């Protein structure tokens, strides 16, 4: 009888320990900032004529340089600092021409481009 209790207690402890380990590993794998090095660029309102864009940073790089180009010519540019795990919206003026407007962002050795056609 005592041996059966010990076996049941051992199985319960083993089940709890493995559950905690799996929850810990799952949390580590789903954390976008832990050991990751990536960032994204997207328009805030992709279906409107608004050119505001958002940079989401999950990398160690915090300095981003952006350019707005209309038909291949730079019309506005700037720099923005974004901490790891944060995002920043850059307010860009409305396009003054019809045609293609490109937004180009550089950070370290990474580069992303998005564009809208008007």
């Amino acid at each position: 009888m005592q041996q059966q209790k010990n076996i049941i207690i051992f199985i319960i402890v083993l089940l709890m320990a493995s559950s905690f380990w799996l929850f810990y590993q799952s949390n580590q794998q789903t954390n976008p900032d832990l050991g990751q090095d990536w960032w994204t660029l997207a328009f805030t309102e992709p279906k409107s004529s608004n050119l505001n864009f958002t940079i989401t940073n999950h990398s160690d790089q915090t300095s981003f340089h952006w350019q707005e180009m209309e038909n291949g010519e730079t019309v506005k540019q700037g720099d923005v600092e974004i901490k790891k795990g944060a995002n920043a919206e850059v307010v860009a003026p409305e396009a003054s021409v019809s045609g293609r407007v490109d937004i180009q962002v550089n950070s370290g050795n990474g580069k992303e481009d998005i564009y809208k056609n008007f």
Side-chain angles (χ1 to χ4, degrees):
M1 188 72 150
Q2 181 64 27
Q3 189 177 11
Q4 290 176 342
K5 281 186 179 180
N6 289 343
I7 291 173
I8 290 173
I9 291 172
F10 176 74
I11 290 173
I12 290 172
V13 168
L14 187 62
L15 180 64
M16 289 177 61
S18 63
S19 294
F20 285 126
W21 174 254
L22 288 174
F23 284 127
Y24 172 76
Q25 286 297 320
S26 176
N27 186 37
Q28 295 293 324
Q29 295 296 321
T30 57
N31 186 348
D33 293 325
L34 188 66
Q36 303 295 322
D37 190 24
W38 58 279
W39 55 276
T40 61
L41 170 65
F43 283 112
T44 306
E45 297 175 17
K47 294 189 178 196
S48 73
S49 63
N50 187 337
L51 292 175
N52 296 352
F53 58 93
T54 301
I55 303 170
T56 304
N57 186 20
H58 294 287
S59 70
D60 292 330
Q61 189 71 275
T62 59
S63 179
F64 295 84
H65 178 75
W66 61 271
Q67 295 182 50
E68 177 186 337
M69 296 178 287
E70 293 180 1
N71 296 323
E73 294 184 23
T74 301
V75 293
K76 189 172 181 184
Q77 59 184 335
D79 294 309
V80 63
E81 294 287 324
I82 308 170
K83 294 180 182 177
K84 186 173 187 172
N87 59 5
E89 180 178 348
V90 177
V91 178
E94 298 253 344
S96 60
V97 297
S98 62
R100 180 175 165 139
V101 177
D102 292 277
I103 305 291
Q104 185 179 79
V105 177
N106 296 305
S107 177
N109 54 358
K111 176 181 155 186
E112 295 287 330
D113 295 307
I114 53 176
Y115 68 91
K116 283 187 177 181
N117 287 317
F118 294 100

